[in-house]
Amino acid sequence: MKPLADLDFSNKTVLVVGGSSGIGNGIARGFLNHGARVHVWGTRVAAAYAAEEGSDLRDLAYTQVDVTDGAAVEAQAAAFASLDVLVLSQGIVRYGRQEFTAAGWQAVMAVNIDSVMRCAMAFYPALKAASGKVIIVSSVAAFTATRGNPAYSASKAGAAGLTKSLGEAWIGDGIRVNGIAPGLVPTKITAVTTNHPGRRDAALAAIPARRFGTPADMAGPALFLASPLADYMVGQTLVVDGGMTLS
């Protein structure tokens, strides 16, 4: 076997839902750099991401899709002739105790867990035909308390649970489902912490690696999970957090 041959995604088609910025964008670019044809879905027109820090759509096939709209997801999924890897990285949060309201709770759940299952099911036939891989991006919030964000925590715990359930249900169809639980990565969602000096310093002090993660840090685990190197991994979620949850 040639060195790194298993990480060559040439002639493979990858879709990263939520790949327009942040962690999803880092994962999308990781697959692009390893030869894949990469599609990304986001919520806004492409021009809106052009000047946004942490967003790089160059050489990525971008489509604006509202993943809370079942008909839109089905229509866009039908446009794919084949799919080898599906990365589900969509996610939102509502601060200011909004998640303690019915509207806030439902908005977060609609994106962070309902749409994950919706997208997985929409692409199930294509993934089965290709013996494809699914990577569900949750969060370390799946395993810890988030005092002000019950919907975010519950939805990410649900995503980790869904990874296990789909992993078991679909491996017999040749589809491998695994996941990644990122730690604290500076993105739009985490700016409330990473852009606040006091919170930022406290958060860094709790990370043994003494740095925040980056979107590129999440690309390596995603590439591994989608590769033959992980062929015997089923339904697992890798914690990628610089040691933050060790104590």
Side-chain angles (χ1 to χ4, degrees):
M1 183 180 70
K2 294 180 180 179
L4 299 182
D6 285 330
L7 294 178
D8 182 0
F9 288 88
S10 299
N11 300 315
K12 300 294 185 182
T13 300
V14 176
L15 168 63
V16 183
V17 180
S20 49
S21 63
I23 289 171
N25 194 244
I27 292 172
R29 302 210 67 80
F31 278 104
L32 182 70
N33 291 339
H34 284 76
R37 297 181 296 269
V38 184
H39 299 256
V40 299
W41 287 1
T43 58
R44 295 177 286 161
V45 296
Y49 294 104
E52 183 176 299
E53 185 177 356
S55 178
D56 185 353
L57 298 180
R58 290 175 299 167
D59 300 316
L60 303 173
Y62 176 75
T63 305
Q64 182 182 12
V65 182
D66 177 1
V67 291
T68 68
D69 182 339
V73 170
E74 291 288 346
Q76 291 298 330
F80 280 74
S82 63
L83 186 65
D84 298 288
V85 181
L86 173 64
V87 181
L88 298 168
S89 186
Q90 63 264 50
I92 63 171
V93 66
R94 292 287 184 265
Y95 292 112
R97 299 187 68 82
Q98 292 182 62
E99 292 181 11
F100 288 88
T101 69
W105 173 275
Q106 291 163 7
V108 172
M109 287 294 183
V111 174
N112 292 11
I113 188 64
D114 294 346
S115 81
V116 172
M117 184 61 172
R118 179 179 296 112
C119 291
M121 290 302 301
F123 283 101
Y124 169 79
L127 291 164
K128 182 178 179 180
S131 294
K133 317 298 187 293
V134 179
I135 299 169
I136 297 176
V137 180
S138 59
S139 166
V140 293
F143 313 111
T144 61
T146 54
R147 182 183 304 174
N149 297 100
Y152 186 81
S153 182
S155 64
K156 292 303 183 179
L162 183 61
T163 300
K164 292 180 181 294
S165 294
L166 291 184
E168 183 178 28
W170 288 0
I171 188 61
D173 297 319
I175 303 170
R176 275 201 304 106
V177 182
N178 287 291
I180 299 169
L184 191 50
V185 177
T187 66
K188 290 179 293 186
I189 285 179
T190 61
V192 66
T193 295
T194 58
N195 288 352
H196 185 286
R199 295 172 186 157
R200 176 187 177 90
D201 292 346
L204 277 172
I207 301 174
R210 291 296 181 264
R211 69 172 179 87
F212 294 131
T214 68
D217 285 328
M218 306 304 138
L223 290 164
F224 164 69
L225 289 175
S227 79
L229 296 171
D231 270 352
Y232 203 55
M233 289 187 67
V234 177
Q236 303 303 306
T237 294
L238 297 179
V239 175
V240 189
D241 70 349
M244 185 174 69
T245 56
L246 291 177
S247 59

